[in-house]
Amino acid sequence: MSNIATREAYGKALVKLGDLRGDVVVLDADLSKSTKTSEFAKTFPTRFFNMGIAEQNLIGAACGLATAGKIPFASTFAMFATGRGFEIIRNSVCYPNLNVKICATHAGISVGEDGASHQSVEDIAIMRSIPNMTVLVPCDAIETEKMIFEIVKYNGPVYVRLGRSAVPQIFGEDYDFEIGKGVILREGSDATIIACGMMVNEAINASKLLKEEGINVRVINMSTIKPIDKEVIIESAKKTGAIVTVEEHSVIGGLGSAVSDVVSENYPVLVKKIGINDVFGQSGKPKQLMEEYGLTVENIINKVKEAIQTKQ
């Protein structure tokens, strides 16, 4: 099965959704070729709106369409959606609890050569801090499509974080995505790895190598960051006694912080966080950047071993 970027799957899912629902409209901020909303624009030109390089207007127009009974999907790069669009998202989308879906692509350092100005490593933290906002991060193309079809049925603000780089397929066509539920991909009792987005595949690969050394690790795909699945986190803390979180995002305010909140209040165990350690990104090839910032199978393995050693 070939690798597919979640942004590619998003573009295809929108077209499928558009065939089924006439109330779905799509907006973009002059980046439709990159966000892949251009596919929807070609198929449904009267239901697509290019707002130009004006992200606040992009979100504001989506709000207006939502109040008129449409289901707007607003897209641009994650840096601009959550950065330039923050005030409108807070005051015009989430405060009145409007049914707007913000699907931002090119998140994280895997944007690559575009560099720090375009590499959003703060977007999850920003979005999960806003009341009424649901925050989702699919790990592959299958989950992306299932997620898009699920959020159209959900009434309320949603932020979906999508990537530029192609990623391996993890789920089959029979997978059922559910908002607010983590998925256990591999079982184990020595430690738990909780990952999201493109780091889920790395977590799986790390667990396989650890298995060869006699270390059995539970792996969870936490594609819903908010509302997070407290039940599976607490269960994992009790069963394994140590957790390693892995995300292509700052260690401040993202998946690791959300998991730590749950653990500290319900069943305190060691949580080690792998992510961007309070620094900006830089220009480079995606693979080089992942290695530079420790988003690798090797680092996951080392952190798991450290966590197991500490709990003992």
Side-chain angles (χ1 to χ4, degrees), residues 198-213:
M198 68 186 302
M199 298 311 298
V200 173
N201 184 67
E202 303 305 293
I204 293 170
N205 290 336
S207 71
K208 290 177 180 177
L209 292 174
L210 286 164
K211 179 78 170 179
E212 293 176 5
E213 298 183 42

Side-chain angles (χ1 to χ4, degrees), residues 13 73 135-153 158-162 175-179 221-224:
F73 283 75
V135 180
L136 308 175
V137 187
C139 69
D140 72 354
I142 297 291
E143 187 168 49
T144 301
E145 179 173 312
K146 302 284 186 176
M147 189 177 284
I148 297 305
F149 272 76
E150 188 64 24
I151 66 173
V152 79
K153 298 183 289 184
V158 178
Y159 175 69
V160 180
R161 186 186 212 238
L162 302 162
Y175 169 63
D176 290 321
F177 168 77
E178 184 177 351
I179 295 173
N221 169 38
M222 194 64 76
S223 53
T224 302

Side-chain angles (χ1 to χ4, degrees), residues 200-258:
V200 173
N201 184 67
E202 303 305 293
I204 293 170
N205 290 336
S207 71
K208 290 177 180 177
L209 292 174
L210 286 164
K211 179 78 170 179
E212 293 176 5
E213 298 183 42
I215 300 172
N216 297 307
V217 178
R218 171 180 275 200
V219 177
I220 298 172
N221 169 38
M222 194 64 76
S223 53
T224 302
I225 310 297
K226 181 188 177 186
I228 202 157
D229 190 343
K230 293 182 180 181
E231 184 178 328
V232 76
I233 294 171
I234 296 168
E235 178 200 348
S236 298
K238 291 177 178 179
K239 181 176 181 178
T240 69
I243 296 173
V244 175
T245 62
V246 193
E247 59 192 311
E248 189 204 359
H249 181 273
S250 172
V251 294
I252 300 171
L255 171 65
S257 293

